[in-house]
Amino acid sequence: MEIERKYLINRIPEELNIVRTRDIEQGYLCTEPVVRIRRDNDKYELTYKSKGFLSREEYNLPLTREAYAHLKEKIDGRLIAKTRYEIPLGESLTIELDIFHGDLKPLVLAEVEFPDEEKANAFIPPEWFGKDVTFSSQYHNSTLSREYRPK
């Protein structure tokens, strides 16, 4: 089960404690249900996600580089490219700050995953987070692969 909140970011603070950086590209073989392929640095996987906003079922299966390359030719819509920065938040949470590239630039989103819905609903975001888009399908990556156009 994936439980996360998602926010638009308009301004990134200069001093962030970045503990890990990941270069990600992902594409969608299907968006209903969501079936995604992803390259995350040198890790490749196929993911199924159920419908939902705050909470969704998520299943990940490993892929080889060759299988990923084969499936990449079959995606619908754009291949999403982004850099993800992992930033600790408090004692047990992590901000995943996604800076999108290509024709999704200058979009920047932050996601925070939670162990349960109670903690997710009680979450108070850092001051630098923008609009909460958790319940907007417009900012699901599956939608971004097809429809989103930066303003």
Side-chain angles (χ1 to χ4, degrees), residues 85-89 93-97 110-112 126 128-129:
Y85 300 93
E86 294 181 10
I87 304 154
L89 180 62
L93 299 176
T94 300
I95 298 168
E96 294 178 336
L97 182 67
E111 298 177 353
V112 180
W128 56 277
F129 277 28

Side-chain angles (χ1 to χ4, degrees), residues 109-127:
L109 294 170
E111 298 177 353
V112 180
E113 290 195 23
F114 300 89
D116 56 58
E117 287 190 17
E118 183 179 344
K119 287 186 175 51
N121 288 322
F123 179 66
I124 299 172
E127 187 177 289

